[in-house]
Amino acid sequence: MNSISPTESQSNQTTLSSQADIGLIGLAVMGENLVLNMESHGFKVAVYNRTTSKVDEFLTGRAHGKNIVGTHTLSALVASLKRPRKIMLMVKAGVVVDQFIEQILPYLQEGDIIIDGGNSLHTDSTRRTRELREKGILYIGTGVSGGEEGALKGPSIMPGGAPEAWDAVKPIFQSIAAKVEAGSPCCDWVGPEGAGHFVKMVHNGIEYGDMQLICEIYHVLKATLNPGNDKLAHLFDEWNQGELNSYLVEITADILKKKDENGNYVLDYILDKAGQKGTGKWTVNGALDLGVPVTLIAEAVFARCLSAQKQQRVNASKVIQFNTDSNLNLVESPETFAEAVRGALYCAKVISYAQGFELMKATAKEMSWDLNMGSIALMWRGGCIIRSTFLGKIKEAYDRNPALENLLLDPFFAEVLHKYQAGWRKVIAVGALQGIALPALSSALSYFDGYRSSWLPANLLQAQRDYFGAHTYERTDKAAGAFFHTNWTGRGGNTTSNTYSV
């Protein structure tokens, strides 16, 4: 890397003699658009990229004529900033973040702020917050959602880390964030240490669930009604005008309509093999650690894994036969079934969010974080991928009862589930009889039925564990917390294993 002095680095006739409000490292899609967003809201931004030619291309391209400072070295970037210096990293999560932190540390002073705006694992953000605090540097792990368009026009921003850094970045973050009713910004302080990135991780887990649910709805409609892409698009457009109004439903309609230069629907030529970057898996792993049943999100992750086994599925389709009675009258009328499908999507969506919020509550308790669930719902109301009208109802639920144990217990959502559950069951039954895989929809219903049940067959499970491993059990006729063991075979004796929960 060629070193140049601050005075040698220029941006559109703007020199470094006038210091910038914030610096940003990493001029990929999200980084570039965040810089342009900040500049459009009156902030002067200094930029750096490891491939320095990218800085020059940006300055002569999209940043031309704007109040943006280009730098070719980290020392020049730091020197260009007002104190306390605020440097935002928009780089690949993991070791790259740690490498950049180590590289810029020698140029920083006590009270300066490092912001990680990538999809970092929240435990890494907790570690970095603690390590940097010991060196006098404040760290903010910030979840940013909204994709390319959101970054440019207003994302959802979820900052957490060193609380004393919030006042310094709040004017910038809340200015560039998406706005909802009465101009409320979709950005507020989430909590200490890794709380910001944790909430973004759960957001992404719910996003996995929402996307998979929509894909399953698309599948069952194609397989049963065969309406064609135009009619499907019209149906999603209609749904987007009501209770299911959301970004993902909106773009699904757009995707269904899109044709290529030959007049073919683009969607019909996309290989059914999904990718993932890991945040859904992180959500499931975190839930497993705490024993929180995020079953729908887990199924959404595994559905992507199964889709990736494309060649195996093609081979299996030639070997494994599906048998069904072709004379079964499964769908009374297209209109009635489409309405049942809409209700099924709404119900499953309620379950997805209920599970995500349960994970946030459990983690907040484990980490002693004070997470405001209503505020988080508001942050997701605009700008982000899972933004929807539906989130306003979640905020209202937590406004009514901040200690709400589960969204399913809120009167509004309880009524939704009561209203649509018959159709939900019908859709899943049709899918099963038609051989259509509906893992997320089915998992959501199983969770619903399990959660509403005062009795589950875990008594047999505990008996099995005690039979083969002397793991003990509690009794219905004894006080909670007292454990017992049965010598099931008459050969086992009275020795038991330690009682513990994972």
Side-chain angles (χ1 to χ4, degrees), residues 392-430:
K393 298 298 184 183
I394 295 179
K395 184 180 187 305
E396 291 172 10
Y398 284 107
D399 285 346
R400 282 190 290 271
N401 181 9
L404 184 66
E405 288 186 333
N406 189 301
L407 280 177
L408 275 58
L409 302 178
D410 175 76
F412 173 82
F413 290 111
E415 176 57 29
V416 166
L417 294 167
H418 174 74
K419 180 179 179 181
Y420 294 128
Q421 88 172 257
W424 186 13
R425 296 181 189 280
K426 171 75 172 180
V427 171
I428 291 170
V430 168

mmCIF file of all heavy atoms in Angstrom, residues 392-430:
data_model
loop_
_atom_site.group_PDB
_atom_site.id
_atom_site.type_symbol
_atom_site.label_atom_id
_atom_site.label_comp_id
_atom_site.label_asym_id
_atom_site.label_seq_id
_atom_site.Cartn_x
_atom_site.Cartn_y
_atom_site.Cartn_z
ATOM 1 N N GLY A 392 -46.059 -3.283 13.584
ATOM 2 C CA GLY A 392 -46.752 -2.308 14.405
ATOM 3 C C GLY A 392 -47.634 -2.982 15.442
ATOM 4 O O GLY A 392 -47.766 -2.500 16.578
ATOM 5 N N LYS A 393 -48.226 -4.109 15.066
ATOM 6 C CA LYS A 393 -49.061 -4.864 16.007
ATOM 7 C C LYS A 393 -48.206 -5.480 17.120
ATOM 8 O O LYS A 393 -48.661 -5.605 18.262
ATOM 9 C CB LYS A 393 -49.814 -5.970 15.264
ATOM 10 C CG LYS A 393 -50.775 -5.445 14.205
ATOM 11 C CD LYS A 393 -51.864 -4.568 14.823
ATOM 12 C CE LYS A 393 -52.886 -4.120 13.803
ATOM 13 N NZ LYS A 393 -53.913 -3.208 14.400
ATOM 14 N N ILE A 394 -46.980 -5.866 16.789
ATOM 15 C CA ILE A 394 -46.082 -6.397 17.821
ATOM 16 C C ILE A 394 -45.714 -5.301 18.811
ATOM 17 O O ILE A 394 -45.709 -5.526 20.027
ATOM 18 C CB ILE A 394 -44.824 -7.015 17.175
ATOM 19 C CG1 ILE A 394 -45.207 -8.239 16.340
ATOM 20 C CG2 ILE A 394 -43.796 -7.391 18.240
ATOM 21 C CD1 ILE A 394 -44.054 -8.904 15.637
ATOM 22 N N LYS A 395 -45.419 -4.112 18.305
ATOM 23 C CA LYS A 395 -45.113 -3.001 19.214
ATOM 24 C C LYS A 395 -46.302 -2.708 20.125
ATOM 25 O O LYS A 395 -46.138 -2.503 21.335
ATOM 26 C CB LYS A 395 -44.734 -1.741 18.441
ATOM 27 C CG LYS A 395 -44.310 -0.604 19.388
ATOM 28 C CD LYS A 395 -43.929 0.644 18.656
ATOM 29 C CE LYS A 395 -43.345 1.671 19.646
ATOM 30 N NZ LYS A 395 -44.242 1.974 20.766
ATOM 31 N N GLU A 396 -47.509 -2.724 19.562
ATOM 32 C CA GLU A 396 -48.701 -2.491 20.376
ATOM 33 C C GLU A 396 -48.855 -3.568 21.445
ATOM 34 O O GLU A 396 -49.261 -3.278 22.580
ATOM 35 C CB GLU A 396 -49.938 -2.463 19.478
ATOM 36 C CG GLU A 396 -50.004 -1.253 18.556
ATOM 37 C CD GLU A 396 -51.145 -1.358 17.553
ATOM 38 O OE1 GLU A 396 -51.994 -2.269 17.707
ATOM 39 O OE2 GLU A 396 -51.184 -0.537 16.616
ATOM 40 N N ALA A 397 -48.515 -4.796 21.105
ATOM 41 C CA ALA A 397 -48.618 -5.892 22.074
ATOM 42 C C ALA A 397 -47.703 -5.652 23.261
ATOM 43 O O ALA A 397 -48.102 -5.843 24.421
ATOM 44 C CB ALA A 397 -48.281 -7.220 21.397
ATOM 45 N N TYR A 398 -46.458 -5.236 22.992
ATOM 46 C CA TYR A 398 -45.522 -4.984 24.089
ATOM 47 C C TYR A 398 -45.812 -3.665 24.801
ATOM 48 O O TYR A 398 -45.453 -3.502 25.967
ATOM 49 C CB TYR A 398 -44.083 -5.050 23.582
ATOM 50 C CG TYR A 398 -43.627 -6.472 23.354
ATOM 51 C CD1 TYR A 398 -43.466 -6.979 22.083
ATOM 52 C CD2 TYR A 398 -43.394 -7.321 24.440
ATOM 53 C CE1 TYR A 398 -43.073 -8.297 21.877
ATOM 54 C CE2 TYR A 398 -43.000 -8.629 24.251
ATOM 55 C CZ TYR A 398 -42.843 -9.119 22.964
ATOM 56 O OH TYR A 398 -42.460 -10.425 22.779
ATOM 57 N N ASP A 399 -46.474 -2.729 24.126
ATOM 58 C CA ASP A 399 -46.933 -1.522 24.810
ATOM 59 C C ASP A 399 -48.030 -1.883 25.813
ATOM 60 O O ASP A 399 -48.085 -1.337 26.921
ATOM 61 C CB ASP A 399 -47.469 -0.500 23.805
ATOM 62 C CG ASP A 399 -46.359 0.204 23.037
ATOM 63 O OD1 ASP A 399 -45.183 0.095 23.460
ATOM 64 O OD2 ASP A 399 -46.664 0.840 22.013
ATOM 65 N N ARG A 400 -48.912 -2.803 25.420
ATOM 66 C CA ARG A 400 -49.976 -3.244 26.322
ATOM 67 C C ARG A 400 -49.407 -3.996 27.516
ATOM 68 O O ARG A 400 -49.885 -3.853 28.643
ATOM 69 C CB ARG A 400 -50.969 -4.147 25.572
ATOM 70 C CG ARG A 400 -51.956 -3.434 24.704
ATOM 71 C CD ARG A 400 -53.051 -4.374 24.204
ATOM 72 N NE ARG A 400 -52.552 -5.335 23.232
ATOM 73 C CZ ARG A 400 -52.518 -5.118 21.922
ATOM 74 N NH1 ARG A 400 -52.938 -3.965 21.430
ATOM 75 N NH2 ARG A 400 -52.078 -6.054 21.097
ATOM 76 N N ASN A 401 -48.397 -4.816 27.254
ATOM 77 C CA ASN A 401 -47.831 -5.654 28.318
ATOM 78 C C ASN A 401 -46.339 -5.853 28.078
ATOM 79 O O ASN A 401 -45.937 -6.794 27.390
ATOM 80 C CB ASN A 401 -48.545 -7.004 28.364
ATOM 81 C CG ASN A 401 -48.010 -7.905 29.465
ATOM 82 O OD1 ASN A 401 -47.213 -7.482 30.306
ATOM 83 N ND2 ASN A 401 -48.444 -9.153 29.474
ATOM 84 N N PRO A 402 -45.483 -4.983 28.640
ATOM 85 C CA PRO A 402 -44.041 -5.123 28.442
ATOM 86 C C PRO A 402 -43.483 -6.450 28.933
ATOM 87 O O PRO A 402 -42.416 -6.879 28.478
ATOM 88 C CB PRO A 402 -43.463 -3.953 29.258
ATOM 89 C CG PRO A 402 -44.568 -2.969 29.361
ATOM 90 C CD PRO A 402 -45.820 -3.793 29.431
ATOM 91 N N ALA A 403 -44.190 -7.118 29.856
ATOM 92 C CA ALA A 403 -43.724 -8.398 30.397
ATOM 93 C C ALA A 403 -44.369 -9.587 29.688
ATOM 94 O O ALA A 403 -44.323 -10.711 30.195
ATOM 95 C CB ALA A 403 -44.021 -8.462 31.893
ATOM 96 N N LEU A 404 -44.950 -9.355 28.517
ATOM 97 C CA LEU A 404 -45.633 -10.411 27.770
ATOM 98 C C LEU A 404 -44.723 -11.627 27.589
ATOM 99 O O LEU A 404 -43.610 -11.517 27.093
ATOM 100 C CB LEU A 404 -46.054 -9.864 26.396
ATOM 101 C CG LEU A 404 -46.868 -10.783 25.493
ATOM 102 C CD1 LEU A 404 -48.242 -11.058 26.098
ATOM 103 C CD2 LEU A 404 -47.024 -10.141 24.101
ATOM 104 N N GLU A 405 -45.200 -12.784 28.001
ATOM 105 C CA GLU A 405 -44.385 -14.003 27.946
ATOM 106 C C GLU A 405 -44.185 -14.493 26.520
ATOM 107 O O GLU A 405 -43.117 -15.004 26.171
ATOM 108 C CB GLU A 405 -45.030 -15.121 28.778
ATOM 109 C CG GLU A 405 -44.930 -14.913 30.276
ATOM 110 C CD GLU A 405 -45.450 -16.117 31.046
ATOM 111 O OE1 GLU A 405 -46.310 -16.858 30.514
ATOM 112 O OE2 GLU A 405 -44.981 -16.337 32.168
ATOM 113 N N ASN A 406 -45.222 -14.382 25.704
ATOM 114 C CA ASN A 406 -45.157 -14.882 24.342
ATOM 115 C C ASN A 406 -46.190 -14.138 23.513
ATOM 116 O O ASN A 406 -47.304 -13.877 23.996
ATOM 117 C CB ASN A 406 -45.444 -16.392 24.326
ATOM 118 C CG ASN A 406 -45.178 -17.039 22.987
ATOM 119 O OD1 ASN A 406 -45.754 -16.677 21.965
ATOM 120 N ND2 ASN A 406 -44.302 -18.037 22.989
ATOM 121 N N LEU A 407 -45.860 -13.781 22.275
ATOM 122 C CA LEU A 407 -46.800 -13.049 21.427
ATOM 123 C C LEU A 407 -48.114 -13.790 21.242
ATOM 124 O O LEU A 407 -49.164 -13.177 21.023
ATOM 125 C CB LEU A 407 -46.174 -12.787 20.053
ATOM 126 C CG LEU A 407 -45.186 -11.628 19.938
ATOM 127 C CD1 LEU A 407 -44.605 -11.566 18.535
ATOM 128 C CD2 LEU A 407 -45.856 -10.303 20.296
ATOM 129 N N LEU A 408 -48.092 -15.106 21.329
ATOM 130 C CA LEU A 408 -49.307 -15.889 21.144
ATOM 131 C C LEU A 408 -50.337 -15.610 22.236
ATOM 132 O O LEU A 408 -51.527 -15.893 22.068
ATOM 133 C CB LEU A 408 -48.994 -17.383 21.121
ATOM 134 C CG LEU A 408 -48.564 -17.994 19.790
ATOM 135 C CD1 LEU A 408 -47.315 -17.322 19.236
ATOM 136 C CD2 LEU A 408 -48.331 -19.480 19.924
ATOM 137 N N LEU A 409 -49.883 -15.045 23.363
ATOM 138 C CA LEU A 409 -50.781 -14.758 24.477
ATOM 139 C C LEU A 409 -51.393 -13.368 24.397
ATOM 140 O O LEU A 409 -52.283 -13.030 25.180
ATOM 141 C CB LEU A 409 -50.019 -14.916 25.797
ATOM 142 C CG LEU A 409 -49.396 -16.291 26.044
ATOM 143 C CD1 LEU A 409 -48.623 -16.295 27.360
ATOM 144 C CD2 LEU A 409 -50.454 -17.382 26.026
ATOM 145 N N ASP A 410 -50.912 -12.554 23.459
ATOM 146 C CA ASP A 410 -51.501 -11.223 23.276
ATOM 147 C C ASP A 410 -52.888 -11.366 22.654
ATOM 148 O O ASP A 410 -53.085 -12.184 21.745
ATOM 149 C CB ASP A 410 -50.608 -10.385 22.361
ATOM 150 C CG ASP A 410 -51.230 -9.041 22.054
ATOM 151 O OD1 ASP A 410 -51.203 -8.171 22.942
ATOM 152 O OD2 ASP A 410 -51.760 -8.874 20.929
ATOM 153 N N PRO A 411 -53.882 -10.606 23.115
ATOM 154 C CA PRO A 411 -55.253 -10.763 22.604
ATOM 155 C C PRO A 411 -55.366 -10.632 21.090
ATOM 156 O O PRO A 411 -56.109 -11.382 20.453
ATOM 157 C CB PRO A 411 -56.021 -9.645 23.328
ATOM 158 C CG PRO A 411 -55.244 -9.395 24.571
ATOM 159 C CD PRO A 411 -53.805 -9.630 24.211
ATOM 160 N N PHE A 412 -54.636 -9.694 20.506
ATOM 161 C CA PHE A 412 -54.731 -9.504 19.061
ATOM 162 C C PHE A 412 -54.252 -10.742 18.315
ATOM 163 O O PHE A 412 -54.929 -11.253 17.414
ATOM 164 C CB PHE A 412 -53.918 -8.284 18.623
ATOM 165 C CG PHE A 412 -53.847 -8.127 17.126
ATOM 166 C CD1 PHE A 412 -54.882 -7.532 16.430
ATOM 167 C CD2 PHE A 412 -52.746 -8.608 16.404
ATOM 168 C CE1 PHE A 412 -54.828 -7.403 15.041
ATOM 169 C CE2 PHE A 412 -52.689 -8.485 15.028
ATOM 170 C CZ PHE A 412 -53.740 -7.881 14.341
ATOM 171 N N PHE A 413 -53.060 -11.239 18.685
ATOM 172 C CA PHE A 413 -52.497 -12.377 17.967
ATOM 173 C C PHE A 413 -53.250 -13.670 18.285
ATOM 174 O O PHE A 413 -53.375 -14.547 17.426
ATOM 175 C CB PHE A 413 -51.008 -12.503 18.271
ATOM 176 C CG PHE A 413 -50.202 -11.389 17.664
ATOM 177 C CD1 PHE A 413 -49.606 -10.427 18.463
ATOM 178 C CD2 PHE A 413 -50.062 -11.295 16.298
ATOM 179 C CE1 PHE A 413 -48.880 -9.387 17.904
ATOM 180 C CE2 PHE A 413 -49.346 -10.258 15.715
ATOM 181 C CZ PHE A 413 -48.759 -9.296 16.518
ATOM 182 N N ALA A 414 -53.754 -13.796 19.501
ATOM 183 C CA ALA A 414 -54.575 -14.966 19.843
ATOM 184 C C ALA A 414 -55.811 -15.020 18.960
ATOM 185 O O ALA A 414 -56.219 -16.098 18.496
ATOM 186 C CB ALA A 414 -54.958 -14.920 21.318
ATOM 187 N N GLU A 415 -56.399 -13.859 18.685
ATOM 188 C CA GLU A 415 -57.584 -13.800 17.829
ATOM 189 C C GLU A 415 -57.237 -14.137 16.379
ATOM 190 O O GLU A 415 -57.992 -14.825 15.685
ATOM 191 C CB GLU A 415 -58.215 -12.406 17.908
ATOM 192 C CG GLU A 415 -59.403 -12.185 16.981
ATOM 193 C CD GLU A 415 -60.539 -13.181 17.193
ATOM 194 O OE1 GLU A 415 -60.707 -13.684 18.323
ATOM 195 O OE2 GLU A 415 -61.267 -13.469 16.213
ATOM 196 N N VAL A 416 -56.084 -13.655 15.901
ATOM 197 C CA VAL A 416 -55.635 -13.981 14.538
ATOM 198 C C VAL A 416 -55.506 -15.492 14.374
ATOM 199 O O VAL A 416 -55.988 -16.082 13.393
ATOM 200 C CB VAL A 416 -54.291 -13.291 14.227
ATOM 201 C CG1 VAL A 416 -53.650 -13.880 12.973
ATOM 202 C CG2 VAL A 416 -54.483 -11.791 14.065
ATOM 203 N N LEU A 417 -54.860 -16.132 15.333
ATOM 204 C CA LEU A 417 -54.648 -17.579 15.257
ATOM 205 C C LEU A 417 -55.961 -18.344 15.332
ATOM 206 O O LEU A 417 -56.155 -19.363 14.658
ATOM 207 C CB LEU A 417 -53.695 -18.023 16.366
ATOM 208 C CG LEU A 417 -52.265 -17.469 16.230
ATOM 209 C CD1 LEU A 417 -51.484 -17.678 17.522
ATOM 210 C CD2 LEU A 417 -51.541 -18.130 15.074
ATOM 211 N N HIS A 418 -56.884 -17.846 16.156
ATOM 212 C CA HIS A 418 -58.204 -18.473 16.245
ATOM 213 C C HIS A 418 -58.963 -18.330 14.922
ATOM 214 O O HIS A 418 -59.605 -19.282 14.445
ATOM 215 C CB HIS A 418 -59.010 -17.833 17.384
ATOM 216 C CG HIS A 418 -60.429 -18.311 17.463
ATOM 217 N ND1 HIS A 418 -60.772 -19.566 17.940
ATOM 218 C CD2 HIS A 418 -61.598 -17.705 17.101
ATOM 219 C CE1 HIS A 418 -62.076 -19.705 17.889
ATOM 220 N NE2 HIS A 418 -62.608 -18.600 17.382
ATOM 221 N N LYS A 419 -58.859 -17.171 14.329
ATOM 222 C CA LYS A 419 -59.616 -16.849 13.114
ATOM 223 C C LYS A 419 -59.171 -17.679 11.915
ATOM 224 O O LYS A 419 -59.997 -18.130 11.116
ATOM 225 C CB LYS A 419 -59.453 -15.353 12.820
ATOM 226 C CG LYS A 419 -60.185 -14.860 11.581
ATOM 227 C CD LYS A 419 -59.968 -13.362 11.414
ATOM 228 C CE LYS A 419 -60.674 -12.819 10.172
ATOM 229 N NZ LYS A 419 -60.434 -11.355 10.010
ATOM 230 N N TYR A 420 -57.847 -17.894 11.785
ATOM 231 C CA TYR A 420 -57.317 -18.502 10.563
ATOM 232 C C TYR A 420 -56.816 -19.937 10.720
ATOM 233 O O TYR A 420 -56.366 -20.535 9.742
ATOM 234 C CB TYR A 420 -56.178 -17.644 10.014
ATOM 235 C CG TYR A 420 -56.589 -16.275 9.538
ATOM 236 C CD1 TYR A 420 -55.928 -15.138 9.991
ATOM 237 C CD2 TYR A 420 -57.633 -16.117 8.630
ATOM 238 C CE1 TYR A 420 -56.294 -13.873 9.549
ATOM 239 C CE2 TYR A 420 -58.005 -14.854 8.188
ATOM 240 C CZ TYR A 420 -57.328 -13.738 8.649
ATOM 241 O OH TYR A 420 -57.705 -12.496 8.211
ATOM 242 N N GLN A 421 -56.898 -20.484 11.923
ATOM 243 C CA GLN A 421 -56.227 -21.765 12.114
ATOM 244 C C GLN A 421 -56.863 -22.916 11.345
ATOM 245 O O GLN A 421 -56.169 -23.843 10.924
ATOM 246 C CB GLN A 421 -56.086 -22.110 13.603
ATOM 247 C CG GLN A 421 -57.207 -22.830 14.248
ATOM 248 C CD GLN A 421 -56.877 -23.287 15.664
ATOM 249 O OE1 GLN A 421 -56.605 -24.453 15.877
ATOM 250 N NE2 GLN A 421 -56.923 -22.366 16.613
ATOM 251 N N ALA A 422 -58.160 -22.889 11.088
ATOM 252 C CA ALA A 422 -58.795 -23.969 10.327
ATOM 253 C C ALA A 422 -58.232 -24.028 8.910
ATOM 254 O O ALA A 422 -57.909 -25.112 8.390
ATOM 255 C CB ALA A 422 -60.306 -23.783 10.302
ATOM 256 N N GLY A 423 -58.109 -22.870 8.275
ATOM 257 C CA GLY A 423 -57.530 -22.817 6.937
ATOM 258 C C GLY A 423 -56.072 -23.209 6.931
ATOM 259 O O GLY A 423 -55.593 -23.858 5.986
ATOM 260 N N TRP A 424 -55.352 -22.819 7.958
ATOM 261 C CA TRP A 424 -53.939 -23.176 8.124
ATOM 262 C C TRP A 424 -53.788 -24.699 8.128
ATOM 263 O O TRP A 424 -52.938 -25.264 7.424
ATOM 264 C CB TRP A 424 -53.467 -22.558 9.439
ATOM 265 C CG TRP A 424 -52.031 -22.656 9.798
ATOM 266 C CD1 TRP A 424 -50.984 -23.017 9.009
ATOM 267 C CD2 TRP A 424 -51.477 -22.365 11.087
ATOM 268 N NE1 TRP A 424 -49.804 -22.970 9.722
ATOM 269 C CE2 TRP A 424 -50.087 -22.576 10.993
ATOM 270 C CE3 TRP A 424 -52.025 -21.957 12.294
ATOM 271 C CZ2 TRP A 424 -49.235 -22.388 12.092
ATOM 272 C CZ3 TRP A 424 -51.184 -21.754 13.380
ATOM 273 C CH2 TRP A 424 -49.796 -21.963 13.269
ATOM 274 N N ARG A 425 -54.638 -25.370 8.913
ATOM 275 C CA ARG A 425 -54.589 -26.827 8.978
ATOM 276 C C ARG A 425 -54.959 -27.444 7.615
ATOM 277 O O ARG A 425 -54.370 -28.442 7.192
ATOM 278 C CB ARG A 425 -55.537 -27.336 10.062
ATOM 279 C CG ARG A 425 -55.149 -26.904 11.466
ATOM 280 C CD ARG A 425 -56.106 -27.444 12.525
ATOM 281 N NE ARG A 425 -55.836 -26.844 13.826
ATOM 282 C CZ ARG A 425 -54.856 -27.227 14.645
ATOM 283 N NH1 ARG A 425 -54.058 -28.221 14.279
ATOM 284 N NH2 ARG A 425 -54.669 -26.625 15.803
ATOM 285 N N LYS A 426 -55.901 -26.844 6.942
ATOM 286 C CA LYS A 426 -56.326 -27.336 5.631
ATOM 287 C C LYS A 426 -55.172 -27.278 4.636
ATOM 288 O O LYS A 426 -54.916 -28.238 3.898
ATOM 289 C CB LYS A 426 -57.497 -26.486 5.134
ATOM 290 C CG LYS A 426 -57.905 -26.738 3.694
ATOM 291 C CD LYS A 426 -58.666 -28.023 3.526
ATOM 292 C CE LYS A 426 -59.229 -28.133 2.109
ATOM 293 N NZ LYS A 426 -59.984 -29.384 1.913
ATOM 294 N N VAL A 427 -54.466 -26.167 4.608
ATOM 295 C CA VAL A 427 -53.350 -25.994 3.664
ATOM 296 C C VAL A 427 -52.273 -27.043 3.902
ATOM 297 O O VAL A 427 -51.742 -27.643 2.957
ATOM 298 C CB VAL A 427 -52.769 -24.566 3.775
ATOM 299 C CG1 VAL A 427 -51.474 -24.442 2.965
ATOM 300 C CG2 VAL A 427 -53.789 -23.534 3.302
ATOM 301 N N ILE A 428 -51.946 -27.273 5.158
ATOM 302 C CA ILE A 428 -50.902 -28.261 5.481
ATOM 303 C C ILE A 428 -51.372 -29.667 5.130
ATOM 304 O O ILE A 428 -50.592 -30.485 4.619
ATOM 305 C CB ILE A 428 -50.511 -28.143 6.964
ATOM 306 C CG1 ILE A 428 -49.770 -26.821 7.181
ATOM 307 C CG2 ILE A 428 -49.626 -29.320 7.393
ATOM 308 C CD1 ILE A 428 -49.542 -26.465 8.613
ATOM 309 N N ALA A 429 -52.652 -29.950 5.347
ATOM 310 C CA ALA A 429 -53.197 -31.258 4.979
ATOM 311 C C ALA A 429 -53.134 -31.460 3.466
ATOM 312 O O ALA A 429 -52.760 -32.537 2.979
ATOM 313 C CB ALA A 429 -54.629 -31.381 5.470
ATOM 314 N N VAL A 430 -53.491 -30.433 2.722
ATOM 315 C CA VAL A 430 -53.414 -30.503 1.259
ATOM 316 C C VAL A 430 -51.976 -30.741 0.819
ATOM 317 O O VAL A 430 -51.700 -31.582 -0.047
ATOM 318 C CB VAL A 430 -53.966 -29.215 0.617
ATOM 319 C CG1 VAL A 430 -53.620 -29.155 -0.866
ATOM 320 C CG2 VAL A 430 -55.479 -29.125 0.816
#
